[in-house]
Structures are given as structure tokens and as C-alpha cells.
């Protein structure tokens, strides 16, 4: 047993063999406050060895404590010869002792911190005193004391390492212990992240229009499962609200799992469910379906269905169809789709090596994404299309088309501004892709100093106002949605910018990620002006749009006002031909005036989903081949 010796403070020196040379002034001050609060006593003795001069000692372990005592002596709170309890060790082991103290130390368990802080709080100590007593920050104390709101059942789960601290922290938004336990048990294991827990606890009422309620079949299905509904008597629609968020989440999980069971029957190696799009899944390696020849019987059925469809469509177009023609046409279309679905399928190798993701997309639609391979399964997958078979090679040149679609620089700027507005609002609502986009842009700056600009994001942080580039800014859906989102965030951020950093420190990770997405969205710029040095950055916007699954017809509609009146007659005719075929082109060509051609084109194109090339999002194949948006397929968005 090592004997305790008393040494005067002014006889103690920092040990040159101490592996820790630097202490923050703030940390020393915090420890000094802790020592003061405890009556100028040290909770842990200093470890010393004999110094070079007689009567002096080097402090081998406890350098920060020594610095704190000296600070108190300089302030006159203790004498310079203040007696300090020490343990003496041999000088030969000084470095090993110092290293062990600094590396082998383990921080207190958060629940142990909570219990210690809580005991002091019950004695009447305020947060500032507790923070000083333990040499920590007031924010940490508040976060630990907030654990008092959590059910003891959940606290024990955390002690047993059956729950993460992020999950435990999410429960502090509620004081209802019974409700907390119910939520934990109701959520499936794959959907117990902090955001889902917090959402289930705080969203006490969910509108009937919420995508989750719509997905499970509306309030009727929710009520059938035993959920209570609150209706507003002053709501003319009387849609109502679901009051049990945990039940809604459970029904969503059950419906996703029911779909997963059907998908598993297809023979995939694995099938996983998620209430939201899995982070980074678009970057996973993927198998695609292969072409399959129809049997003679199926081909004959497809030909007959197509003939029937054409006949019905002609009758409807000529206005001589009966009242049931529309219904018959829809049924024939379903038969055609079912038969066409048999023309492609996944190989046995793909089923053995890859899996399927089942989740709700941003709009609340059921998404079934097949053919993905997890990182550890990539080695099993064979490389496909090495020779580019089935894809345009990009080699050689074709004679330019005469005549060709022609867009003025001003119109290209207008259309790509619409595209940028859509990308911004979609990115602002997709934190996972936003995180990738921001990190990608930053790494281009720091890790590749000689690269040309290859990111659609203009960081650091550059914001291009779109109003001046859009001819009718008030009609831009993306711009209006983004401005509404900006107003919403403006109501939540602190009024004083000096308070923003501390405010962000107190926000949950999910909220910070959402703000990251919002901030990153401000930097998106795919506007193509007449003179620009951002060609590659503008091209990368297509890659960003593909990752976001942007459906441009949701954000831009081709009409006479938005497009046709801004281009020449030849472009109107070629655009209609591209969208609707040669006969439609003849209808436009027959017009005697451009205004008539614009009116006819507007009528023909409305509802078709056709988009001018500058506003389209290129397909992945075109991105890989380095093609511009002008070389897109005829209906790149409608095919999604």
C-alpha cells in the first residue's frame, strides 16, 4: 500500500515525463471551481516522484489538478504553501503511470452522471453550481437531468445496452412513462430510431391527409384497428385526425411487411422494410431485369389487346364512342401492361445474389426497389455491360439533324431555373442525399485542389436568386414551395444570430440534418446562362436529380405560356412531333399564324408529361455516358 505524504503546493513542479503537456484554460478553470465547491479538497491524490532539487517533487499524475491549485493560489483563495496529499512513486515508472492515467480513464456512464446530478438538484443546487462541481457544461447537466422524464423500464434497457443513448434521449420529449413504454414496444426493431420515437411521442394527432394514414387505407382502416379519431366540427370536410401515432406507425410497419412477404416469394436473397427511403441505397450496386421473349400465346394476346386499344382510342378521339369506352380502354391498358411485364425478368443469379428494399418514398407511395446488393455481397456479383452492350457507345458522330430544336439562351436560362427550383425543394426535403451532396462538394474543394467545378452545389455558401431568371416567377411551383419552407424555418430559428450556435447544439440530430438539407438546397444551381464556367457543375445536377428521384412534371408543365410562345415555329413543330408523333406535327404545321400554332401545341401537349430538354433530369445511363440533358429520352420523367 502506497503511503500518503503531505507536500506544500510551492514544492510541486510539472513533471517533464508527463505525457500530457497541454491543458485548456477553460478546463483548468472548471476544475478549480470544482475544487472550490468541495472545500478545496482533491477527490484524487497527486502521484509524485522526487525532483532534481532537494525537497522538491515532480507531479507525475495530476498535472491539471496542480494547475487548478496554482490558479486558486494566484487568486489568493489558498496559500502558496497549501498542503497537498500525494502518493510517491519511483521515477523509473513515471511515464508509464502518466500514460495509464490519461488513456485508461473511462468517462462516467450517462445514467451515473444523471443520478449524481439529480441528487444535487434535489438538495437545491442549481444547474450552474452542479456544472461547476463536476467541471462540465450547463448544457450537459440539463441533458442528463432531462433523463428524469424517462420511464425506469427504459432506463434499465439502456443500462443493459438494449437501447442506444440516442434512442433514450428521444423519450425525454414526454413525461408519460406508460406512453413511452407503449411506443417502444409498438415500434418494430428496424424503425426505433430517435426520429421515429420522437415523432410517435410528439405527434399526438395525425391528419387524415398525412401520407402514413393514406398508405394504410385512411382513417377507416385506422379506426377498424381500434384507433381513436378526433374530428373538428368547424372543418367543412370533417376529415379528422388520428390520435394514436404509435398505432399508425404499427399499421404502416405491418402493411410494409405484408408487401415484403409477397416480394420474398419471388426468391430474393433478402427483403428489408423501412418506413423511409434507406440512406445511401441509390449508391449500392444493382442487378437489372433482362429481356425475355413472350410465348406465342402471350404475343398473340398482346397484339390483339393493342389492336383493341387502338380501335377504342380512335372511337373516343372521334367522339363516336359509347359511355363504356373509357372503362374498356382502361381495362385493355391493364392487360397490355401485364403482358409487357412478362417481357423482362431477373435471372436466377440475380435472385441468389441480391435483394429488395420495401419502403415509403417521400410522397408516401409504396416503393419496391429490386436487385440491390449490399457492400459485402458485391464480390459475388458479376460485372455487367463491360463492353457497353445495350447502351449507346458514344463513339462516332452522327450527321446533325436538319431542322433541329432550337432554344434561345434566355429560354434555356428560364427552363434550367425551373429545374434548379425543383432540385432545391427536393433536396431540402431529403437530408440523406443532402448530406452526401454537401460532403461531396466539400471534398472536391479540399481533397482535389486542381479539379474543375464538378458539383451542382455552389458552396461556400453561394445563393443564386432565381426570380430574375424565370420569366413568370410567381407561377414556379418549386420556387413557391421553397419560399414557404424558408418561411417555416424562419419561425423556428432564434431571432439573434449570436444565439444560433448554442441553439443548434441543443437540437436533436434529425433536426440538424433537416437544417443541413435546407442549407444545402440554397446552394443548388443548375441555371445555364449564356456565358458560364460551370458546365460540369450544371451537368452534375442531373446526377443529383436522379438521386433525389425528382419527377419534373410535378414542378413544371409545358404550356403555351411557359414554353411554346418563346420558341420559333420550327421548334414548336419538332417539339410536338417528338412528344405526340408526325400526325400531331402536321396539325401544328397547318396553322397559318404562330399564335395558332402555340394554341394547338398547348392543347396537344397538355397532360402528356413531355418536357423541353433543358428542364429534364437525365437518366443514369446518360449521366454515365456523359450525355447532356438535350439528348434525353422522349419521356424521361414519365418513365419513373
Amino acid at each position: 500500500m502506497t503511503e500518503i505524504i503531505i507536500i506544500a503546493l510551492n514544492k510541486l513542479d510539472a513533471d517533464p515525463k508527463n505525457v500530457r503537456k497541454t491543458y485548456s484554460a477553460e478546463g483548468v478553470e472548471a476544475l478549480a471551481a470544482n475544487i472550490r465547491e468541495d472545500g478545496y479538497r482533491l477527490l484524487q491524490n497527486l502521484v509524485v516522484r522526487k525532483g532534481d532539487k532537494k525537497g522538491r517533487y515532480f507531479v507525475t499524475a495530476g498535472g491539471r489538478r496542480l494547475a487548478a491549485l496554482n490558479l486558486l493560489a494566484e487568486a489568493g483563495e489558498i496559500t502558496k504553501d497549501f498542503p497537498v496529499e500525494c502518493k510517491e512513486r519511483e521515477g523509473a515508472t513515471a511515464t508509464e503511470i502518466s500514460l495509464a492515467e490519461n488513456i485508461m480513464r473511462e468517462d462516467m456512464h450517462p445514467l451515473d452522471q444523471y443520478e449524481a446530478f439529480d441528487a444535487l438538484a434535489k438538495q437545491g443546487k442549481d444547474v450552474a453550481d452542479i456544472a461547476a462541481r463536476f467541471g462540465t457544461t450547463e448544457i450537459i447537466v440539463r441533458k442528463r437531468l432531462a433523463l428524469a422524464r424517462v420511464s425506469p423500464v427504459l432506463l434499465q434497457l439502456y443500462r443493459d445496452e438494449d437501447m442506444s443513448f440516442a434512442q433514450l434521449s428521444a423519450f425525454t420529449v414526454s413525461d408519460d412513462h406508460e406512453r413511452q413504454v407503449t411506443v417502444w414496444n409498438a415500434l418494430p426493431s428496424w424503425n426505433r430510431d430517435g426520429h421515429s420515437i420522437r415523432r410517435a411521442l410528439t405527434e399526438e394527432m395525425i391528419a387524415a391527409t398525412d401520407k402514413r394514414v393514406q398508405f394504410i387505407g385512411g382513417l377507416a382502416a385506422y379506426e377498424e384497428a381500434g384507433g381513436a379519431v378526433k374530428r373538428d366540427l368547424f372543418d367543412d370536410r370533417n376529415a379528422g385526425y388520428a390520435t394514436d401515432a404509435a398505432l399508425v406507425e404499427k399499421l404502416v410497419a405491418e402493411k410494409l411487411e405484408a408487401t415484403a412477404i409477397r416480394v420474398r416469394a419471388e426468391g430474393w436473397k433478402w427483403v428489408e422494410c423501412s418506413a423511409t427511403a434507406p440512406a445511401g441505397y441509390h449508391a449500392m450496386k444493382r442487378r437489372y431485369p433482362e429481356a425475355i421473349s413472350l410465348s406465342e400465346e402471350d404475343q398473340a394476346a398482346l397484339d390483339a389487346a393493342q389492336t383493341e386499344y387502338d380501335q377504342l382510342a380512335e372511337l373516343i378521339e372521334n367522339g363516336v364512342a359509347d359511355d363504356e369506352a373509357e372503362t374498356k380502354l382502361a381495362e385493355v391498358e391493364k392487360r397490355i401492361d401485364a403482358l409487357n411485364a412478362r417481357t423482362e425478368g431477373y435471372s436466377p443469379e440475380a435472385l441468389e445474389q441480391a435483394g429488395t428494399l420495401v419502403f415509403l418514398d417521400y410522397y408516401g407511395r409504396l416503393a419496391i426497389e429490386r436487385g440491390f446488393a449490399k457492400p459485402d455481397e458485391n464480390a459475388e456479383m458479376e460485372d455487367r455491360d463491360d463492353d457497353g452492350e445495350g447502351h449507346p457507345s458514344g463513339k462516332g458522330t452522327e450527321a446533325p439533324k436538319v431542322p433541329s430544336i432550337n432554344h434561345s439562351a434566355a429560354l434555356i436560362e428560364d427552363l434550367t431555373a425551373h429545374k434548379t427550383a425543383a432540385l432545391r425543394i427536393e433536396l431540402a426535403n431529403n437530408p440523406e442525399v443532402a448530406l452526401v451532396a454537401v460532403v461531396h462538394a466539400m471534398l472536391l474543394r479540399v481533397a482535389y485542389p486542381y479539379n474543375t467545378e464538378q458539383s451542382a452545389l455552389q458552396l461556400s455558401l453561394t445563393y443564386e436568386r432565381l426570380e430574375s431568371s424565370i420569366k413568370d416567377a410567381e407561377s414556379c411551383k418549386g420556387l413557391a414551395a421553397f419560399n414557404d419552407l424558408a418561411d417555416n424555418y424562419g419561425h423556428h430559428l432564434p431571432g439573434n444570430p449570436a444565439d444560433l450556435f448554442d441553439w443548434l447544439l441543443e437540437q436533436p440530430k434529425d433536426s440538424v440534418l433537416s437544417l443541413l438539407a435546407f442549407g444545402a438546397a440554397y446552394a443548388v444551381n443548375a441555371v445555364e446562362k449564356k456565358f458560364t464556367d460551370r458546365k460540369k457543375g450544371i451537368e452534375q445536377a442531373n446526377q443529383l436529380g436522379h438521386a433525389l428521384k425528382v419527377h419534373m412534371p410535378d414542378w413544371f408543365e409545358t404550356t403555351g405560356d411557359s414554353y411554346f410562345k418563346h420558341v420559333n415555329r420550327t421548334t414548336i413543330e419538332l417539339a410536338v412531333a417528338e412528344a405526340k408523333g408526325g400526325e400531331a406535327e402536321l396539325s401544328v404545321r397547318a396553322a397559318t399564324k404562330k399564335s395558332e400554332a402555340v394554341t394547338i401545341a398547348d392543347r396537344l401537349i397538355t397532360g402528356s408529361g413531355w418536357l423541353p430538354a433543358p428542364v429534364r433530369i437525365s437518366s443514369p445511363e446518360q449521366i454515365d455516358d456523359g450525355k447532356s440533358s438535350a439528348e434525353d429520352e422522349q419521356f424521361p420523367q414519365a418513365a419513373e
Side-chain angles (χ1 to χ4, degrees):
M1 181 176 178
T2 304
E3 183 178 354
I4 303 296
I5 60 175
I6 305 297
I7 304 174
L9 176 60
N10 55 6
K11 299 293 184 182
L12 297 172
D13 301 308
D15 194 338
K17 292 187 177 181
N18 191 325
V19 297
R20 189 171 181 179
K21 311 294 184 184
T22 306
Y23 307 98
S24 70
E26 183 180 357
V28 172
E29 290 173 359
L31 181 56
N34 181 278
I35 295 171
R36 181 190 302 114
E37 287 289 322
D38 200 29
Y40 301 100
R41 293 176 300 177
L42 295 180
L43 297 177
Q44 186 177 359
N45 298 325
L46 302 183
V47 177
V48 301
R49 65 183 179 91
K50 285 186 172 62
D52 296 336
K53 296 181 180 180
K54 185 176 180 180
R56 300 197 69 83
Y57 292 85
F58 286 126
V59 177
T60 301
R64 194 163 70 99
R65 279 164 276 162
L66 175 63
L69 289 172
N70 283 327
L71 184 64
L72 293 170
E74 291 172 5
E77 296 186 42
I78 59 176
T79 61
K80 293 183 178 180
D81 60 352
F82 181 80
V84 182
E85 294 183 349
C86 305
K87 294 179 180 179
E88 186 179 1
R89 293 290 182 89
E90 293 295 328
T93 60
T95 299
E96 288 82 353
I97 294 171
S98 173
L99 190 64
E101 185 198 43
N102 284 282
I103 292 181
M104 301 304 291
R105 179 185 300 161
E106 183 177 1
D107 292 336
M108 287 181 67
H109 191 279
L111 288 188
D112 293 337
Q113 284 184 322
Y114 151 63
E115 291 175 352
F117 296 168
D118 186 55
L120 292 178
K122 290 177 179 177
Q123 294 174 14
K125 298 281 188 181
D126 60 29
V127 171
D129 290 336
I130 296 173
R133 175 69 178 80
F134 283 86
T136 187
T137 64
E138 294 184 25
I139 292 177
I140 292 296
V141 174
R142 289 194 181 95
K143 287 183 177 180
R144 296 297 181 264
L145 290 176
L147 296 178
R149 304 172 189 168
V150 182
S151 164
V153 174
L154 301 178
L155 292 176
Q156 189 58 48
L157 285 175
Y158 175 63
R159 281 195 183 277
D160 295 339
E161 298 185 357
D162 292 327
M163 178 189 295
S164 70
F165 188 72
Q167 291 171 317
L168 182 70
S169 300
F171 286 101
T172 61
V173 298
S174 170
D175 294 320
D176 188 339
H177 290 180
E178 183 178 352
R179 172 73 173 161
Q180 292 171 356
V181 175
T182 300
V183 166
W184 177 257
N185 292 330
L187 292 175
S189 59
W190 50 264
N191 196 33
R192 283 176 172 169
D193 58 278
H195 178 68
S196 297
I197 293 170
R198 198 173 286 106
R199 183 175 62 192
L201 289 169
T202 57
E203 292 185 354
E204 298 179 350
M205 295 190 299
I206 302 178
T209 54
D210 186 281
K211 66 181 182 181
R212 291 164 293 166
V213 176
Q214 293 296 310
F215 175 69
I216 64 176
L219 287 180
Y222 162 79
E223 288 183 285
E224 187 177 347
V229 175
K230 182 176 181 180
R231 289 185 167 87
D232 186 353
L233 296 177
F234 296 95
D235 180 4
D236 294 335
R237 295 174 301 170
N238 203 26
Y241 298 85
T243 61
D244 191 341
L247 177 58
V248 172
E249 296 285 356
K250 180 181 179 182
L251 294 175
V252 169
E254 289 175 349
K255 189 169 182 179
L256 287 172
E257 182 59 30
T259 300
I261 291 173
R262 296 195 299 271
V263 176
R264 289 189 185 101
E266 298 174 9
W268 293 103
K269 182 176 182 180
W270 54 265
V271 177
E272 294 181 355
C273 295
S274 175
T276 57
Y281 81 93
H282 51 80
M284 297 169 66
K285 195 169 184 179
R286 189 174 188 179
R287 287 278 197 177
Y288 291 94
E290 300 174 3
I292 299 174
S293 299
L294 287 177
S295 65
E296 293 184 3
E297 181 180 356
D298 285 344
Q299 186 62 54
L302 179 60
D303 294 340
Q306 189 63 59
T307 300
E308 184 180 357
Y309 181 91
D310 294 340
Q311 293 172 346
L312 285 169
E314 184 178 358
L315 291 174
I316 294 172
E317 186 174 350
N318 293 331
V320 294
D322 57 30
D323 295 338
E324 298 180 357
E326 294 284 355
T327 302
K328 292 178 181 178
L329 189 69
E331 292 174 352
V332 173
E333 191 171 10
K334 289 181 180 178
R335 295 208 309 270
I336 291 174
D337 290 342
L339 289 166
N340 281 329
R342 300 179 188 176
T343 62
E344 61 180 20
Y346 290 90
S347 67
E349 292 79 8
L351 295 173
E352 292 175 3
Q353 298 170 0
T356 299
L357 298 167
V358 179
F359 57 90
L360 283 182
D361 69 10
Y362 171 73
Y363 299 99
R365 299 172 299 206
L366 178 65
I368 305 174
E369 298 288 350
R370 296 174 172 86
F372 287 99
K374 297 179 180 179
D376 57 350
E377 297 168 346
N378 283 342
E380 303 175 18
M381 296 184 64
E382 299 175 358
D383 292 332
R384 304 175 68 242
D385 300 322
D386 287 340
D387 58 356
E389 184 178 354
H391 299 282
S393 66
K395 297 179 180 179
T397 58
E398 296 180 0
K401 295 181 180 179
V402 179
S404 63
I405 290 178
N406 183 35
H407 296 137
S408 67
L411 181 58
I412 290 177
E413 180 176 340
D414 176 277
L415 296 175
T416 52
H418 279 278
K419 180 177 179 178
T420 299
L423 287 166
R424 284 181 179 178
I425 183 62
E426 294 279 2
L427 186 65
N429 287 304
N430 195 322
E432 291 82 6
V433 175
L435 183 60
V436 172
V438 172
V439 173
H440 167 254
M442 290 190 298
L443 288 180
L444 286 175
R445 295 283 186 181
V446 300
Y448 307 90
Y450 300 107
N451 85 99
T452 56
E453 184 167 330
Q454 297 183 35
S455 173
L457 273 63
Q458 290 181 303
L459 294 179
S460 55
L461 176 80
T462 303
Y463 174 52
E464 183 87 12
R465 296 196 64 84
L466 300 178
E467 287 83 350
S468 61
S469 294
I470 299 177
K471 292 179 173 61
D472 184 8
E474 292 183 358
S475 69
C476 182
K477 296 179 181 179
L479 189 60
F482 192 82
N483 288 340
D484 288 343
L485 185 65
D487 290 341
N488 181 59
Y489 276 120
H491 292 310
H492 293 85
L493 296 176
N496 187 346
D499 299 331
L500 180 60
F501 185 80
D502 288 338
W503 181 83
L504 285 171
L505 288 176
E506 296 177 356
Q507 303 309 302
K509 180 182 178 182
D510 294 321
S511 296
V512 177
L513 276 175
S514 295
L515 287 168
L516 170 65
F518 174 64
Y522 260 105
V524 173
N525 185 11
V527 178
E528 186 174 349
K529 297 190 176 183
K530 187 173 183 179
F531 302 104
T532 179
D533 57 356
R534 300 191 62 253
K535 291 289 186 182
K536 291 187 177 181
I538 292 170
E539 290 173 4
Q540 199 269 332
N542 292 310
Q543 191 176 16
L544 179 63
H546 175 65
L548 292 166
K549 292 192 172 180
V550 177
H551 187 247
M552 277 307 302
D554 290 341
W555 303 105
F556 181 88
E557 183 178 8
T558 306
T559 65
D561 288 335
S562 69
Y563 179 70
F564 290 113
K565 72 179 185 181
H566 304 293
V567 296
N568 59 33
R569 282 289 298 265
T570 300
T571 296
I572 295 174
E573 292 169 7
L574 293 175
V576 171
E578 182 181 282
K580 304 295 288 185
E583 293 185 5
E585 179 188 9
L586 293 176
S587 299
V588 176
R589 188 174 297 175
T592 57
K593 298 180 180 180
K594 179 184 174 181
S595 59
E596 294 176 359
V598 169
T599 301
I600 295 171
D602 182 284
R603 176 175 56 81
L604 291 172
I605 298 300
T606 297
S608 70
W610 183 86
L611 298 174
V615 81
R616 299 175 190 169
I617 302 294
S618 296
S619 67
E621 292 80 9
Q622 290 160 340
I623 294 172
D624 291 341
D625 290 341
K627 292 182 178 292
S628 67
S629 60
E631 296 171 288
D632 283 353
E633 299 169 358
Q634 183 175 353
F635 294 97
Q637 298 294 326
E640 289 184 349

